[in-house]
Amino acid sequence: MTGTAAPFAADDYRARMERAARSAAEAGLAGLLVAPGPDLVWLTGYAPTAVTERLTLLVLAPGQDPVLVVPTLEAPDAAKAAGASALTLRDWTDGKDPYAATAALLDAGGRFGVSDNAWAMHLLGLQKALPDTSYASLTEALPMLRAVKDTAELELLAAAGAAADATFEEIRKVPFGGRRESEVAADLAALLRRFGHSQVDFTIVASGPNGANPHHEVGDRVIERGDMVVLDFGGLKDGYGSDTSRTVHVGEPTDEERRVHDLVRAAQEAGFRSVRPGVPCQEVDRAARAVIADAGYGEYFIHRTGHGIGVTTHEPPYMIEGEEQPLVPGMCFSVEPGVYLPGRFGVRIEDIVTVTEDGGRRFNDTSREMVIVD
């Protein structure tokens, strides 16, 4: 996880930690335990340069000042984090018991929310020190903790989306036919970095029959004239994510390929048009899925319609059947229906969308029409 270059100050991090502690109390938790990873970056601005077996843990509890437990040798770096002045640093030295030091900060019989990427050895160490405590993952206990973005976060997500759009406008100019998928993927990664990304998370280039696999691993297949090619790429720019998909065609497509592409484009538009405050997340999935199912391709739309995005490229909320969480202004997520015909080709079109006061706003604005490439 890279650190964020976002323009956030100590007061921003203090407000986030206070909100997180309140949310924990409202969820019936004694507090939150946050290990290095995206939650810690979002709450404090601190990302250790290396995550090791030494315990680093943010302790948030209602009515208590935030405490960041860190190894002594990493304390100087932690003290430089943008949110450091909004919390207390408590360091521990090698040879001492970090779990005993942390246990002193916790309710001995409390239930705590724990960041999903906390190491099992650390959680087990705390359980041994405090056998009457219990734990729940943050995704289970507070799935919407980071879901609603503030104005500054929305600006950063919009900028990341614009950088991904600029990448697509450039990649459509490069030769596809006769080149390996891996070569085009390398071009995508280089373009994302050229347009300001510090981290490239994925560059899917799925040509011809490979396009029928939504998470195709880029390989050495040579892209041929007549191929449909699914492009799905993104990463982090200034600490916030981009993720967009467009499907291009090498040379002129067949009538069926155009028809399927138009169908996915209509489904993506229907999903986008369903976005407004108060609508359950599952309705976005239903709106997009209905278009594809009504055309007889329902069995070939094999994944959810969308996922949240923020300081990571995949996070709650999820646009999926059964998710009744209402949409709230400031939520950001993908709308990315697809059709995947085994052994033949696939089509996916994806934009990042944010909920506004009266609808939705796209953060990706490149053409959703069929794009012909060489």
Side-chain angles (χ1 to χ4, degrees):
M1 179 72 192
T2 60
T4 174
F8 300 120
D11 285 346
D12 298 305
Y13 293 111
R14 180 180 290 107
R16 289 177 183 178
M17 288 187 281
E18 290 173 351
R19 175 156 64 91
R22 286 196 306 271
S23 297
E26 292 165 1
L29 298 172
L32 303 180
L33 307 177
V34 184
D39 291 313
L40 187 64
V41 171
W42 185 77
L43 286 163
T44 69
Y46 178 51
T49 53
V51 179
T52 72
E53 73 285 355
R54 293 184 174 95
L55 178 72
T56 294
L57 200 67
L58 174 68
V59 178
L60 298 178
Q64 298 181 19
D65 290 337
V67 177
L68 182 61
V69 179
V70 295
T72 298
L73 74 170
E74 295 174 11
D77 287 339
K80 297 175 186 175
S85 63
L87 51 78
T88 299
L89 285 177
R90 182 167 296 184
D91 65 311
W92 62 275
T93 58
D94 284 352
K96 301 294 184 181
D97 184 351
Y99 307 114
T102 305
L105 304 171
L106 306 182
D107 177 347
R111 181 170 177 78
F112 295 88
V114 182
S115 54
D116 295 357
N117 54 346
W119 285 22
M121 65 177 285
H122 296 321
L123 189 57
L124 292 169
L126 285 175
Q127 286 181 313
K128 184 176 180 180
L130 295 172
D132 293 330
T133 53
S134 60
Y135 305 89
S137 75
L138 279 189
T139 291
E140 173 191 338
L142 295 177
M144 296 298 116
L145 179 63
R146 304 194 318 256
V148 178
K149 276 61 179 179
D150 62 25
T151 300
E153 290 181 294
L154 292 173
E155 290 175 355
L156 289 163
L157 283 161
D165 282 359
T167 294
F168 178 71
E169 294 296 351
E170 290 299 312
I171 202 69
R172 61 186 290 184
K173 300 174 186 176
V174 309
F176 278 69
R179 301 179 69 210
R180 298 184 187 279
E181 291 176 342
S182 55
E183 294 175 305
V184 178
D187 289 343
L188 279 171
L191 287 166
L192 284 168
R193 291 191 175 94
R194 187 213 295 181
F195 291 114
H197 281 65
S198 60
Q199 178 175 315
V200 176
D201 286 349
F202 47 89
T203 52
I204 294 174
V205 179
S207 62
N210 289 341
N213 176 0
H215 282 172
H216 169 64
E217 291 287 339
V218 167
D220 289 331
R221 183 182 185 275
V222 175
I223 301 170
E224 301 174 358
R225 188 163 188 81
D227 278 349
M228 196 84 88
V229 185
V230 179
L231 304 174
D232 184 353
F233 51 94
L236 298 183
K237 179 182 185 296
D238 293 331
Y240 280 75
S242 69
D243 186 1
T244 189
S245 300
R246 293 293 185 264
T247 303
V248 302
H249 199 277
V250 185
E252 286 299 316
T254 65
D255 289 345
E256 182 188 24
E257 288 170 332
R258 280 196 180 277
R259 184 169 65 253
V260 172
H261 190 280
D262 287 346
L263 173 64
V264 174
R265 181 164 55 87
Q268 206 270 346
E269 181 69 17
F272 170 68
R273 293 296 174 190
S274 73
V275 174
R276 61 185 182 279
V279 169
C281 290
Q282 67 182 3
E283 292 300 329
V284 180
D285 183 84
R286 288 175 175 178
R289 198 169 299 278
V291 174
I292 292 173
D294 289 350
Y297 287 87
E299 67 183 291
Y300 303 113
F301 180 10
I302 56 177
H303 56 72
R304 65 195 176 202
T305 293
H307 57 81
I309 191 169
V311 293
T312 59
T313 49
H314 282 209
E315 63 185 44
Y318 298 103
M319 307 302 113
I320 190 171
E321 182 66 30
E323 179 51 80
E324 297 180 351
Q325 166 69 41
L327 299 181
V328 176
M331 282 183 175
C332 299
F333 48 85
S334 65
V335 178
E336 51 175 308
V339 168
Y340 308 93
L341 302 178
R344 301 180 61 203
F345 65 88
V347 177
R348 181 163 65 256
I349 300 173
E350 173 186 14
D351 295 326
I352 297 302
V353 172
T354 186
V355 184
T356 64
E357 294 298 330
D358 57 1
R361 171 193 169 198
R362 285 181 164 111
F363 285 157
N364 298 107
D365 293 311
T366 54
S367 175
R368 295 168 201 92
E369 303 286 340
M370 173 77 77
V371 170
I372 308 300
V373 296
D374 293 330

